[in-house]
Amino acid sequence: MVSGDCGFFQVLAVPAFVRALLLPVGKINNHRFSSFVARLGEHKIISLADVSPDGRPHRTMFSPLAFPAGTVLYDLTTSLPPPSHFALTPFELYREPLVVVALADGNELLHATDEAPNTAQEDRVSPDENFSHLLNSLDRLKVDYHRALVHQVLVFDYVSAVALPAGVVAVPSPEQSKTTTIKTLMANWTSLLLAEMTTLAKSFQALPSLDSPTTPLSTRSLNGKPSSLDFDRDNSSKPSRPTSNTQGFANDAAVARFQNRMSMPTQRPSGESSGTATPPTTFDAIAGVSRTSSPVRSDERRQSSRDGISIQGLASSGLGERERIKGKGRIGVVIGSLYLLAGRWPDAVKELVESASIARGHSDYLWHAKSLDYILVCLFMYAWAGMDFQIPQICYPGTEKSNPSSNKAAYHTPSSSLPDLTSLKSSNPASRLVSIQNLINLLPDLVTNILNLYARATTFTDDRLPQLAYSESTIRFSRLLSIIQLSHGNLDDGGLKRVIFNIETPLKKALPSQLTQFPSKSEICALLFRAFPTPTSLSTADHVTVLIGIASVLGSLGYDRKKALVLKELISTLLPALIQARKAGAAEMGVHPAASLTSLDTTNGGLNPLYRDSSFDGSEDGLQDFLSIVCKIYGVVLSTQLGLDNGLDSSTASGSDASNKSHRDSTESIVNRAIQQATTRSFGARPLKVDLLRSCINLCEALPDLEGVLRFSADLLRTAGSGLAPAPNDKDSSPALTVEDQVRLASNISRTVGAARKLGLEQLETEYWDEFLVRGIEVIESSLSKPPKPHAKAELEVAETISKKTDKSPFIYNPFLKVAPSSVAEPLLVALEEAGFKVTLQNLYDFDVEVEWIRLECSGVSFDNSTLSTIIGPYRTQSVFLSGTPKTAGSLNITGCIAKIKGCRERRFPIFSTPWASKQDIKSKYVGLAANGVELTPRPGSRKVPGASQGPIASTIALKVIEPQPELIVTSISLSQSAIMLLEGETKTFTVTLQNLSSTVPADLLLLSFNDSTTSHLQSATANKDLSPADIYELELSSLQNQALRWKRKDVDGDAAIAPGGEITLEIEVLGKPGFSQGTVQVDYGYLGMPKVDVKDRFYTRQVTIPLNVTVNASIDLVRNDIIPLNSDFASSQQQLQRKDTGSLETHAHNPTPPVEEHASLSHLLQTLNLHSSTEDHCLLLLDLRNSWPNTLLATLEIRLPPSEPTSPPTYTQHTTLQPGQTNRLILPLPLLHQPNQHHPIPSLNPLTKRQYIHQTNTPSPQTERATRESFWYRHQLLSLLHATWHEPFTNRTGIINTRAIRLNARMISALKVEEIGIEMTLSPAEETPPSPKNNSNTTIFKQLSPFKYFVKIDAFLTLTTRITNRTSDPIRPFLRLQPTLRNQPHTIALDLSKKFAWSGLLQRALPLLGPGESREVSLGVCVLCEGEFEIGALVEEVRALERGGDAAGGSGSGGRNRAGTDGFGGMGRGVVWRRGERRVWGVREVCVVYGRDVVR
């Protein structure tokens, strides 16, 4: 086997392996040398049957013919063991290399022969000169490794036609070689080895005794100082390069590559004798005879050889008999080990049993234990070779000690204890299995006995076994016991291979019947820890070797945590030695140790040859794997464990590596890593993890291993971090490291990356330690234009309908005025326009994170990205702004960002906008290491545990890219600073100019919408459910009629459009309204590319908003109002004035200019009124106006009568001049108003409120509802006739006066309205021809003073005619009630009319059905019996309500009233104002007054 480390000495069968040292010679590269070693390693097992015996008769002690079934095993190594191993020879002779072979490259020899064809013939290198160089190298091997038994030079890939010199062997190339070529070669040097062993064995047999091994190295030498051992021990661990004048050896670069492993040792002085196979002639030439050794010079060695005492033929009579026999036993142990190495196992067992018996009888515990160790190896070699064997009796515990003075039989094992295997060719398989099982059963006691003997030697004798040998023996036995324990007490062929060659083979499951009471794992673990060395007992290299062996056995037993503790101790052991070596190396280089990392060999382009060589074997990777194993057991969050490979960037790797990188950066892999990190982070103690990672970093720095420093620094940050995507107010996300430690780690990463750059390792990077770098990406609006908004085709039709109307209804839904939600469901981008994105980055650590560059990761349409460099501050979320331009229309998905952090590799980061924290299951089903790395995915069919940890959710931003759109800006506005000042009721106009910045796309869709501060107030007020219908109507009417902003279009029917690069001017009208302070002109524009009727799907628009600041000042306010009736007496007095001055009245009636004197205005109005009609058809409207503007204003009020009254003037006009702060009262004649639908419901101007039924919270009484509706309708009719304006003479500013402040009460309504049922009473004489009013004689019995006042003579018969007129649209059945009373008397006295007033007929009578518009007269004869004043009143009462269909006065139910919803006013008809069965009553407007007189004049 090819072994390069000292851990091979911890295999049980290592005493049976011959150690062969392979060295390079001549010009040879690493790859070629490794291939040669591999060819030899394929034939490391040589059967003695294939070995030819040596022909010399005195070299037959180890002849292969004695045991052809034996096998010689080779341990091919390219480096010498440490000096401490040589101190154990000849106690453990297998530690020395007995064969030294130099490997040469035949191609290089041929090249050296054929090179320089143009040189002179005498300057060329001949083949003989090449072989002379090889012979010189062979001589050097014999000098430098004179203790070895075989020295050879193998020339590979070379075929010689002539015989080569002795010691030089040519090996053909693999193509020219046969199957047995290498095997024959190794069999030949095996034959030579067996022959030379005879000389070595006889030299040992000639010695009287051997000393036990000791530790010749002091504590100082154990820690790396040169030792004084022989066999070139001062140069064996680290040979120096050969001198420059040495011919035939590798050049300096090749030697540097093979340093510590394949380099030739230092050249010795030429005067030193070569190491031949002759036996030693002095005690100093035999290792182990003297307890101490010292280096000797060549002249001293020659002098020692001459002055030494010859031991050949010298008797040992000077020694005591006990010591002689004891020494003979020790020599027998060494001879037995030589037989074991030679494959002569029967002879080895025989010799070892004899020696063990002697050692046991003489209490030589150390050599007794070693002989039992060798016997155990021989027995397992028997088992491996498939032979039957018997266990010697000496191996069983409790055997009695042999008498030291016994006869010869005491020196030999009984014949029954050792079978004769010299002629054995095959064995019985059943018997072999029984032998193996017996050996397994004996093994625990035998191993314990051997270790106890070692301990007893230390306690009771001076023979103290060195700690290295004791620890390695303990590890070998523990490994053997662990293999058998894992095989459940059975060993098959695979198990035997593991014992002999340490080859990992699958273990078979044992049947229940095969289970035995073998030592448990805990017992083996307790035995193993006996090998644990003290800190000062071994050198650093040996200490590390022992700890590795202990950790290996613990790992095979499944004690991973104990293994981790041992490996952590190993790191603690290595670290001081590496730091000391680093200091020593820095001192040799003349730099400070802190700068040694960047002061590596920078020759040949600034890169160390170790890194520059492409054939570098990656020993640092092996170290990182070792450290990763320890960290994994401790629960460290490793990048390698998460599938992340640090080091060289894969951007320069092959296609498969790029594919692996893509898979590693996928969203699914990152989510799985986050879950796995959370699980691993929750396992174990975090302080222990941090301490371990610090040790790993220090170890890598001491090597120096730049990649390891980066990897473990990032792993420490990753392990100490919280691994969360915290919420904004989360306070539990800081790392478990101090701020100083975090800053130190960040600086360490930056410094290491800088050192790697100086060494030429441009792509040496680590993995970023936080998966949640990107916490959100949002689309931001451009500073020039707003993003497009999608609209349906129906919205375009609504907008067109609104734009065609001059007075736009605020209650028609305008889709362009709707407020966009805070989260846009479908963000839109425009092709060929740059879009902005806000990226939120997270840094949960207390140091700055430098982002070299970051860009968006997109899929879909072609997208031009921009990159950005930034620094994320400590412990915060920070926003950066990126931009990009989509090239075409389509779909665009933003899945994350691709970022390059300083010192970290370029990688992808998904978007984790949702907070996430791992929730571990409290009811865990796993304990110990099983809890580390448990998959959180539930098993199929298992019930999901509530609260189980779920992975973070990565989000994707889906964007739609639309076709190129126009872009409008406001170039000019006629208002200064977009501000305007108005008076209430005033209207002004301003202009806005828009320009299309796009040079290719026109704006063929242009829609204007307005919004002002009054609209929001009115909308919020109308939403109040506690308002009365009348108040809601006022608010709705204010929004409908008095729009604050309006577009004055010149071409109403045309479509406004802006050509590419063109302009358009818009004219906007502003109305001064109370509360109007701010307004917005919103221009929605877009590109359809087709007629509007052809739009089938969605279309997109942009907006340009023009804000306005408006100041509205008060002008003229309506302070109060009143309505006064005009009675008939007042009219009679005015008629008398008319007769006196008819001419004056005629003049004033046709003069529209108001009178100059205020006292004449009332008289003028009354004269105008009496000119055309009677006063009982009119009333007076009184309005108080106040000027709130600091300038003089002229107010004008008009009553505009409908043209249906030809006898009435078209208008009644009043003018007045109001000084600032002055209040004036204006009086206007107002005709009485008839409202046939006075009880109709109050309508709503908002179409959304026209429902079938509106439920009111507080239902008023019918009387209150009637009064409210009458007030509303009469006020509505009054305001339709009244018009008021104001004018400022100095500035010619005009406006309207708000008359909506007029309010009517019941008294005003009574004076204003015309009753539905008109009742008029007239009095006339009973004669057919009444007397003329001009008759003033005493015979006059009747005189009319006014329309309703009469003078009558006592006892004169009169006729009272009552005229009833139905002004409603429904027929009624009237019931007339007449009531004569005494005037100006209390009610009780007023009804006493006996002997005072008489009538003929009924005062109360039912009248026939009175149709709509029909009149009927009823006569009653009356007579005044005495003087006095009388009043005759009249009432008309509805007998019953007739059934009416389709009218607003109907009700519901059996009473004949209509059901709700048929009156055309929202279903609130007369059923609300009249109770079921309630009858209406009407009274006369003016009663008839009769004055009784004796004489009427």
Side-chain angles (χ1 to χ4, degrees):
M1 77 184 329
V2 180
S3 174
D5 59 58
C6 299
F8 177 69
F9 291 107
Q10 299 170 356
V11 180
L12 176 68
V14 66
F17 282 81
V18 177
R19 193 168 182 85
L21 179 62
L22 306 180
L23 299 174
V25 63
K27 293 183 179 180
I28 184 172
N29 57 34
N30 188 10
H31 175 71
R32 297 280 292 173
F33 179 78
S34 300
S35 65
F36 299 158
V37 173
R39 291 185 64 185
L40 294 176
E42 296 175 356
H43 303 279
K44 60 189 175 183
I45 303 175
I46 304 299
S47 176
L48 293 181
D50 300 330
V51 178
S52 301
D54 193 277
R56 292 171 289 184
H58 59 282
R59 303 291 180 91
T60 59
M61 181 176 178
F62 297 94
S63 175
L65 297 178
F67 187 63
T71 305
V72 177
L73 306 178
Y74 282 99
D75 173 25
L76 305 180
T77 179
T78 57
S79 62
L80 284 172
S84 58
H85 287 235
F86 290 100
L88 297 175
T89 58
F91 182 73
E92 293 178 345
L93 194 60
Y94 60 87
R95 293 181 181 272
E96 285 192 21
L98 301 180
V99 179
V100 177
V101 180
L103 307 182
D105 189 356
N107 293 335
E108 295 292 340
L109 294 178
L110 296 176
H111 178 71
T113 303
D114 299 335
E115 69 182 358
N118 297 326
T119 58
Q121 183 68 28
E122 60 275 7
D123 296 334
R124 296 183 182 180
V125 179
S126 63
D128 294 336
E129 292 180 358
N130 285 331
F131 285 113
S132 65
H133 295 329
L134 295 180
L135 290 177
N136 292 335
S137 301
L138 180 60
D139 293 339
R140 286 188 54 200
L141 288 177
K142 294 179 180 180
V143 172
D144 296 335
Y145 301 96
H146 59 275
R147 295 280 302 268
L149 302 180
V150 178
H151 302 83
Q152 275 193 353
V153 176
L154 301 182
V155 182
F156 280 84
D157 296 348
Y158 184 81
V159 178
S160 177
V162 297
L164 297 178
V168 179
V169 180
V171 182
S173 62
E175 294 79 10
Q176 299 176 352
S177 299
K178 299 180 181 180
T179 307
T180 59
T181 300
I182 301 297
K183 187 175 182 180
T184 303
L185 174 66
M186 298 188 69
N188 292 336
W189 86 41
T190 302
S191 176
L192 182 60
L193 173 66
L194 295 179
E196 298 298 333
M197 276 186 176
T198 302
T199 305
L200 180 61
K202 289 182 178 180
S203 65
F204 281 117
Q205 289 177 348
L207 297 175
S209 180
L210 293 174
D211 291 340
S212 298
T214 58
T215 306
L217 299 177
S218 62
T219 305
R220 182 176 181 180
S221 65
L222 288 174
N223 294 316
K225 298 298 181 180
S227 64
S228 58
L229 295 177
D230 200 2
F231 200 72
D232 286 335
R233 295 177 178 87
D234 54 338
N235 297 310
S236 60
S237 63
K238 187 178 179 180
S240 61
R241 299 182 182 180
T243 57
S244 59
N245 58 358
T246 301
Q247 299 295 328
F249 284 93
N251 53 23
D252 292 346
V255 174
R257 275 196 298 271
F258 301 122
Q259 204 170 10
N260 293 327
R261 300 165 71 187
M262 294 173 287
S263 300
M264 296 296 291
T266 306
Q267 183 179 5
R268 290 189 176 275
S270 60
E272 187 176 356
S273 61
S274 61
T276 62
T278 58
T281 59
T282 62
F283 290 103
D284 294 338
I286 302 176
V289 175
S290 176
R291 291 183 180 273
T292 59
S293 301
S294 60
V296 293
R297 297 189 300 272
S298 61
D299 54 350
E300 294 177 353
R301 184 168 297 179
R302 288 193 297 269
Q303 183 66 25
S304 174
S305 177
R306 290 192 294 268
D307 297 340
I309 302 175
S310 176
I311 64 174
Q312 295 182 2
L314 181 63
S316 58
S317 59
L319 299 176
E321 182 68 17
R322 181 179 177 86
E323 293 297 329
R324 185 185 65 80
I325 298 174
K326 184 177 179 181
K328 196 67 175 179
R330 293 184 177 184
I331 293 175
V333 174
V334 176
I335 299 300
S337 65
L338 287 175
Y339 277 117
L340 179 59
L341 291 173
R344 298 268 298 272
W345 305 322
D347 298 318
V349 172
K350 179 181 178 181
E351 194 71 31
L352 291 171
V353 168
E354 293 177 357
S355 301
S357 300
I358 295 174
R360 184 182 62 181
H362 293 80
S363 300
D364 196 358
Y365 303 116
L366 188 61
W367 292 86
H368 181 199
K370 178 54 64 176
S371 61
L372 293 179
D373 187 357
Y374 287 154
I375 291 173
L376 180 61
V377 175
C378 291
L379 297 179
F380 272 99
M381 295 304 296
Y382 278 131
W384 168 74
M387 301 178 182
D388 190 13
F389 61 90
Q390 291 183 4
I391 302 174
Q393 193 67 30
I394 193 69
C395 296
Y396 288 95
T399 306
E400 296 180 359
K401 291 183 180 181
S402 302
N403 189 358
S405 60
S406 61
N407 53 13
K408 184 179 180 179
Y411 296 91
H412 298 278
T413 303
S415 59
S416 61
S417 64
L418 183 64
D420 185 9
L421 300 175
T422 56
S423 61
L424 184 62
K425 295 183 179 180
S426 62
S427 60
N428 187 1
S431 177
R432 171 176 172 268
L433 294 178
V434 172
S435 300
I436 294 176
Q437 193 62 44
N438 292 335
L439 179 59
I440 292 175
N441 296 335
L442 175 64
L443 193 58
D445 295 334
L446 180 58
V447 168
T448 304
N449 188 25
I450 294 174
L451 295 179
N452 289 338
L453 288 174
Y454 284 144
R456 192 176 300 175
T458 303
T459 305
F460 298 104
T461 65
D462 294 336
D463 297 335
R464 180 183 179 87
L465 183 66
Q467 181 66 38
L468 175 63
Y470 180 78
S471 297
E472 288 187 349
S473 298
T474 306
I475 294 172
R476 289 170 50 232
F477 297 145
S478 300
R479 187 188 301 275
L480 173 62
L481 295 177
S482 66
I483 293 174
I484 300 176
Q485 205 280 339
L486 295 175
S487 301
H488 305 284
N490 298 277
L491 278 180
D492 53 4
D493 293 340
L496 289 172
K497 288 183 180 180
R498 296 186 67 183
V499 172
I500 303 301
F501 300 102
N502 196 26
I503 299 175
E504 295 294 333
T505 57
L507 299 176
K508 296 182 180 181
K509 295 183 179 180
L511 299 175
S513 59
Q514 296 177 338
L515 298 178
T516 59
Q517 297 296 327
F518 200 76
S520 62
K521 292 183 179 180
S522 59
E523 294 174 349
I524 299 175
C525 182
L527 177 67
L528 176 64
F529 272 103
R530 295 172 65 177
F532 204 91
T534 58
T536 59
S537 60
L538 295 175
S539 64
T540 301
D542 295 336
H543 200 161
V544 169
T545 303
V546 171
L547 292 179
I548 290 176
I550 296 175
S552 176
V553 178
L554 289 174
S556 63
L557 292 174
Y559 291 133
D560 292 330
R561 289 187 288 185
K562 290 184 175 64
K563 172 184 175 181
L565 291 174
V566 174
L567 294 180
K568 189 175 185 299
E569 180 66 22
L570 186 151
I571 297 174
S572 302
T573 304
L574 276 176
L575 191 56
L578 292 176
I579 293 176
Q580 182 65 27
R582 180 179 176 183
K583 291 180 179 179
E588 293 177 0
M589 299 172 65
V591 298
H592 192 273
S596 61
L597 185 65
T598 59
S599 301
L600 300 177
D601 186 10
T602 56
T603 59
N604 299 326
L607 185 60
N608 192 297
L610 178 66
Y611 292 95
R612 188 174 59 249
D613 190 2
S614 60
S615 61
F616 175 60
D617 60 355
S619 59
E620 282 76 8
D621 294 336
L623 175 65
Q624 293 180 22
D625 294 339
F626 154 69
L627 296 178
S628 298
I629 293 174
V630 185
C631 295
K632 180 180 179 181
I633 298 174
Y634 270 82
V636 174
V637 184
L638 294 173
S639 57
T640 54
Q641 183 182 1
L642 300 174
L644 306 174
D645 54 343
N646 300 332
L648 297 180
D649 188 6
S650 59
S651 61
T652 59
S654 61
S656 61
D657 294 335
S659 177
N660 293 334
K661 176 185 176 183
S662 177
H663 174 71
R664 186 171 62 247
D665 291 341
S666 64
T667 301
E668 182 180 2
S669 299
I670 293 175
V671 170
N672 292 335
R673 284 204 301 268
I675 299 176
Q676 186 177 358
Q677 288 181 22
T679 305
T680 306
R681 194 177 285 109
S682 63
F683 172 81
R686 184 170 290 183
L688 295 179
K689 302 178 189 179
V690 173
D691 183 62
L692 175 62
L693 285 172
R694 287 172 177 167
S695 300
C696 295
I697 295 172
N698 295 333
L699 183 63
C700 294
E701 287 180 344
L703 287 176
D705 179 11
L706 303 183
E707 182 180 348
V709 172
L710 287 179
R711 173 178 294 179
F712 292 109
S713 298
D715 289 343
L716 179 53
L717 291 174
R718 187 180 295 107
T719 302
S722 59
L724 306 177
N729 297 325
D730 193 356
K731 300 180 181 179
D732 191 18
S733 56
S734 58
L737 286 176
T738 62
V739 178
E740 292 78 9
D741 290 341
Q742 298 180 50
V743 174
R744 189 180 300 110
L745 285 173
S747 302
N748 194 25
I749 293 176
S750 177
R751 185 176 64 255
T752 304
V753 172
R757 299 293 185 270
K758 292 182 180 179
L759 293 174
L761 302 176
E762 298 293 338
Q763 297 172 345
L764 185 63
E765 296 166 338
T766 186
E767 185 72 22
Y768 188 63
W769 42 87
D770 188 6
E771 303 290 345
F772 304 100
L773 175 67
V774 180
R775 293 303 309 277
I777 298 179
E778 300 178 6
V779 181
I780 58 176
E781 296 183 1
S782 174
S783 59
L784 298 178
S785 61
K786 294 184 178 181
K789 296 181 180 180
H791 300 279
K793 180 181 180 181
E795 297 180 3
L796 180 61
E797 297 175 352
V798 173
E800 283 296 305
T801 303
I802 296 176
S803 62
K804 297 299 182 181
K805 295 184 177 181
T806 304
D807 295 330
K808 300 179 182 180
S809 173
F811 306 109
I812 298 179
Y813 171 70
N814 189 350
F816 296 92
L817 280 178
K818 62 182 180 180
V819 180
S822 57
S823 59
V824 181
E826 185 184 11
L828 296 175
L829 302 182
V830 181
L832 303 178
E833 288 190 14
E834 186 179 46
F837 301 89
K838 184 178 77 171
V839 181
T840 303
L841 303 179
Q842 167 183 290
N843 178 20
L844 298 182
Y845 296 85
D846 295 308
F847 56 86
D848 294 335
V849 174
E850 182 178 352
V851 182
E852 294 184 358
W853 56 265
I854 184 173
R855 61 180 175 86
L856 299 175
E857 186 200 33
C858 306
S859 62
V861 300
S862 177
F863 188 79
D864 284 349
N865 259 321
S866 66
T867 59
L868 177 70
S869 300
T870 185
I871 295 178
I872 310 176
Y875 200 75
R876 68 187 61 186
T877 55
Q878 183 171 318
S879 297
V880 297
F881 297 93
L882 300 176
S883 61
T885 304
K887 293 300 183 181
T888 58
S891 298
L892 179 67
N893 295 324
I894 301 178
T895 58
C897 291
I898 298 178
K900 175 67 172 64
I901 312 298
K902 184 178 182 181
C904 303
R905 72 173 181 90
E906 172 190 344
R907 57 160 293 184
R908 171 181 175 270
F909 293 93
I911 307 171
F912 294 104
S913 57
T914 305
W916 178 82
S918 176
K919 296 180 181 179
Q920 297 297 328
D921 187 11
I922 300 177
K923 300 179 180 180
S924 177
K925 299 180 181 180
Y926 304 92
V927 295
L929 289 178
N932 183 13
V934 176
E935 294 184 359
L936 299 180
T937 304
R939 296 189 302 271
S942 62
R943 182 175 61 87
K944 186 176 180 181
V945 180
S949 178
Q950 300 294 330
I953 301 175
S955 57
T956 301
I957 299 179
L959 301 174
K960 184 176 182 180
V961 183
I962 63 176
E963 296 293 341
Q965 296 291 317
E967 187 173 354
L968 303 185
I969 61 171
V970 179
T971 58
S972 63
I973 183 172
S974 61
L975 298 178
S976 176
Q977 298 182 353
S978 299
I980 187 172
M981 192 277 290
L982 305 96
L983 296 180
E984 288 186 15
E986 184 181 4
T987 301
K988 286 187 177 181
T989 303
F990 68 93
T991 59
V992 176
T993 302
L994 302 177
Q995 182 183 3
N996 186 5
L997 297 180
S998 176
S999 60
T1000 58
V1001 183
D1004 56 2
L1005 176 64
L1006 199 65
L1007 301 173
L1008 264 68
S1009 304
F1010 306 100
N1011 196 1
D1012 60 88
S1013 57
T1014 61
T1015 304
S1016 59
H1017 297 309
L1018 292 175
Q1019 291 176 352
S1020 60
T1022 53
N1024 187 4
K1025 297 182 180 180
D1026 296 332
L1027 293 178
S1028 64
D1031 296 335
I1032 295 177
Y1033 179 86
E1034 286 296 320
L1035 296 175
E1036 294 173 351
L1037 185 64
S1038 177
S1039 301
L1040 178 62
Q1041 291 184 349
N1042 302 328
Q1043 295 183 10
L1045 297 170
R1046 188 173 63 89
W1047 180 18
K1048 297 180 65 176
R1049 298 186 61 176
K1050 298 179 180 179
D1051 185 8
V1052 179
D1053 297 332
D1055 294 333
I1058 306 178
E1063 293 183 351
I1064 190 174
T1065 301
L1066 306 177
E1067 189 175 357
I1068 310 299
E1069 185 180 77
V1070 186
L1071 172 64
K1073 294 177 59 176
F1076 186 17
S1077 59
Q1078 293 181 347
T1080 301
V1081 179
Q1082 177 179 305
V1083 182
D1084 292 272
Y1085 64 93
Y1087 173 67
L1088 299 178
M1090 63 184 73
K1092 297 177 182 179
V1093 294
D1094 295 338
V1095 176
K1096 298 180 180 180
D1097 200 359
R1098 288 190 169 188
F1099 66 97
Y1100 301 91
T1101 63
R1102 278 178 168 169
Q1103 286 184 356
V1104 173
T1105 56
I1106 304 157
L1108 298 176
N1109 293 324
V1110 182
T1111 303
V1112 179
N1113 294 321
S1115 55
I1116 295 179
D1117 299 329
L1118 178 61
V1119 179
R1120 65 183 63 88
N1121 64 278
D1122 198 358
I1123 297 178
I1124 301 174
L1126 292 176
N1127 54 23
S1128 57
D1129 295 339
F1130 191 79
S1132 300
S1133 61
Q1134 294 303 317
Q1135 289 176 359
Q1136 295 177 2
L1137 293 175
Q1138 178 186 6
R1139 296 188 185 100
K1140 294 180 180 180
D1141 195 359
T1142 305
S1144 177
L1145 182 61
E1146 187 73 18
T1147 302
H1148 290 297
H1150 295 86
N1151 188 8
T1153 304
V1156 180
E1157 296 84 359
E1158 291 293 338
H1159 66 273
S1161 61
L1162 177 59
S1163 176
H1164 168 76
L1165 289 175
L1166 292 178
Q1167 292 176 4
T1168 304
L1169 178 62
N1170 290 331
L1171 181 64
H1172 299 283
S1173 61
S1174 60
T1175 58
E1176 62 267 16
D1177 295 335
H1178 288 73
C1179 60
L1180 295 180
L1181 175 62
L1182 283 69
L1183 298 177
D1184 293 346
L1185 302 180
R1186 180 178 57 194
N1187 182 9
S1188 299
W1189 182 242
N1191 295 332
T1192 302
L1193 296 177
L1194 178 64
T1196 302
L1197 274 72
E1198 295 179 345
I1199 298 295
R1200 298 179 180 179
L1201 300 178
S1204 59
E1205 300 181 7
T1207 58
S1208 301
T1211 58
Y1212 297 135
T1213 305
Q1214 276 280 53
H1215 301 273
T1216 183
T1217 300
L1218 298 175
Q1219 299 299 326
Q1222 181 184 1
T1223 301
N1224 283 354
R1225 172 168 292 180
L1226 298 181
I1227 303 175
L1228 288 174
L1230 183 65
L1232 298 182
L1233 304 179
H1234 172 59
Q1235 183 58 256
N1237 300 324
Q1238 56 182 336
H1239 294 151
H1240 274 202
I1242 299 175
S1244 175
L1245 300 178
N1246 188 354
L1248 299 179
T1249 59
K1250 290 186 177 181
R1251 306 167 188 168
Q1252 182 178 0
Y1253 177 71
I1254 299 178
H1255 176 71
Q1256 295 183 358
T1257 304
N1258 298 322
T1259 304
S1261 62
Q1263 295 82 355
T1264 304
E1265 184 66 21
R1266 286 198 300 269
T1268 302
R1269 293 185 180 184
E1270 289 180 0
S1271 174
F1272 172 80
W1273 287 112
Y1274 281 104
R1275 177 175 176 272
H1276 177 72
Q1277 191 173 4
L1278 170 61
L1279 293 176
S1280 64
L1281 302 178
L1282 179 62
H1283 298 272
T1285 58
W1286 59 265
H1287 173 71
E1288 186 176 10
F1290 302 103
T1291 60
N1292 289 326
R1293 301 171 66 176
T1294 59
I1296 59 175
I1297 300 175
N1298 184 16
T1299 58
R1300 305 297 301 183
I1302 294 177
R1303 294 293 182 267
L1304 302 181
N1305 53 27
R1307 179 184 60 81
M1308 298 179 187
I1309 294 174
S1310 178
L1312 178 63
K1313 74 175 183 176
V1314 175
E1315 293 290 349
E1316 293 178 333
I1317 303 297
I1319 306 175
E1320 298 179 359
M1321 292 185 294
T1322 59
L1323 192 64
S1324 61
E1327 292 82 7
E1328 294 181 0
T1329 303
S1332 174
K1334 298 180 181 180
N1335 189 3
N1336 294 327
S1337 63
N1338 294 330
T1339 60
T1340 300
I1341 61 174
F1342 174 82
K1343 182 180 181 181
Q1344 184 177 2
L1345 300 177
S1346 67
F1348 304 105
K1349 290 184 178 182
Y1350 301 91
F1351 281 109
V1352 296
K1353 186 177 181 181
I1354 299 173
D1355 295 332
F1357 292 97
L1358 304 173
T1359 301
L1360 178 63
T1361 303
T1362 304
R1363 183 180 180 84
I1364 301 175
T1365 304
N1366 184 8
R1367 297 191 180 97
T1368 67
S1369 58
D1370 301 326
I1372 61 171
R1373 293 186 180 274
F1375 186 84
L1376 178 61
R1377 299 178 185 272
L1378 299 176
Q1379 183 61 54
T1381 59
L1382 294 177
R1383 191 182 185 194
N1384 300 326
Q1385 296 296 325
H1387 183 67
T1388 56
I1389 301 174
L1391 294 178
D1392 186 10
L1393 298 177
S1394 59
K1395 300 181 181 180
K1396 299 177 184 176
F1397 191 87
W1399 60 88
S1400 62
L1402 298 176
L1403 295 178
Q1404 300 179 9
R1405 69 180 68 181
L1407 302 180
L1409 182 65
L1410 187 62
E1414 185 179 354
S1415 298
R1416 182 169 286 106
E1417 293 182 354
V1418 178
S1419 300
L1420 179 67
V1422 296
C1423 180
V1424 178
L1425 301 179
C1426 64
E1427 287 186 356
E1429 296 180 5
F1430 300 92
E1431 290 182 354
I1432 302 175
L1435 290 176
V1436 175
E1437 184 176 354
E1438 188 178 17
V1439 176
R1440 64 184 180 89
L1442 298 178
E1443 293 185 1
R1444 306 172 181 88
D1447 57 26
S1452 63
S1454 60
R1457 304 186 186 276
N1458 295 336
R1459 62 181 179 90
T1462 60
D1463 51 13
F1465 291 90
M1468 299 188 65
R1470 194 172 168 184
V1472 179
V1473 297
W1474 300 100
R1475 294 189 181 93
R1476 184 182 298 276
E1478 185 177 0
R1479 294 177 297 176
R1480 294 175 289 179
V1481 178
W1482 298 272
V1484 65
R1485 184 179 181 87
E1486 287 192 40
V1487 298
C1488 181
V1489 179
V1490 179
Y1491 297 95
R1493 297 288 185 266
D1494 289 336
V1495 177
V1496 177
R1497 296 182 182 274

